[in-house]
Amino acid sequence: MFLETNAIVESTNYWSSGSDSATTFSTRAGNSTSNSNGQTYVAYLFATLAGVSKVFSYTGNGSSQTINCGFTGGSRFVMIKRTDSTGNWYVWDSARGIVAGNDPHLSLNSTAAEVTTDDSVDTDNTGFIVNQVAATNVNVSSATYIGLAIA
């Protein structure tokens, strides 16, 4: 997936297999998107660490649902991306405010200003709650999403 776009998950295999390790990974030879000579790339790799971070996926239910991350004090950072259709890389964090009400958020793939007028996520001790609102569409019925939460 590319952070600079709201496109659907790419189906092309950009990564090779076999020689990867905890510190290196390889791109497919000849892939101009992830392996162009002379180009610089940044890869963000995420992992689940119990009580600290949670890489998650969920299917939307069209209203409101709790995403249980196994935390004891809720999420301080939440990033969500729709994977079956276009959708922004939305980010909420406790510095801006994750509350039971309007929650300021940013779209990582956009230069647009912070949005402060919708209630897409709410607090929950185990993680967070996603609400279906038209501004972000982070809980559309039957849609699929991936994300990262940090306690």
Side-chain angles (χ1 to χ4, degrees):
M1 298 183 71
F2 297 96
L3 191 60
E4 74 273 9
T5 180
N6 70 351
I8 299 171
V9 174
E10 299 290 334
S11 60
T12 305
N13 182 8
Y14 292 102
W15 313 110
S16 68
S17 61
S19 62
D20 299 335
S21 70
T23 57
T24 63
F25 59 93
S26 305
T27 59
R28 266 179 66 180
N31 186 320
S32 63
T33 305
S34 62
N35 194 16
S36 294
N37 188 30
Q39 297 297 312
T40 301
Y41 297 92
V42 175
Y44 295 101
L45 309 176
F46 305 108
T48 295
L49 179 60
V52 175
S53 63
K54 176 71 173 180
V55 175
F56 60 85
S57 64
Y58 66 93
T59 300
N61 68 8
S63 60
S64 171
Q65 67 175 307
T66 299
I67 307 302
N68 184 337
C69 299
F71 301 155
T72 58
S75 298
R76 295 177 58 181
F77 174 91
V78 176
M79 178 174 65
I80 298 173
K81 166 76 170 101
R82 187 169 177 177
T83 60
D84 66 323
S85 182
T86 59
N88 291 332
W89 288 90
Y90 292 111
V91 172
W92 297 265
D93 60 64
S94 59
R96 291 183 213 330
I98 298 176
V99 297
N102 288 347
D103 312 291
H105 68 271
L106 295 170
S107 297
L108 295 180
N109 55 287
S110 170
T111 58
E114 173 183 83
V115 175
T116 61
T117 57
D118 70 80
D119 185 22
S120 297
V121 299
D122 286 321
T123 60
D124 183 81
N125 282 340
T126 66
F128 62 97
I129 299 167
V130 288
N131 302 307
Q132 175 49 31
V133 296
T136 59
N137 284 323
V138 293
N139 198 21
V140 172
S141 183
S142 300
T144 55
Y145 302 87
I146 61 167
L148 169 71
I150 301 174

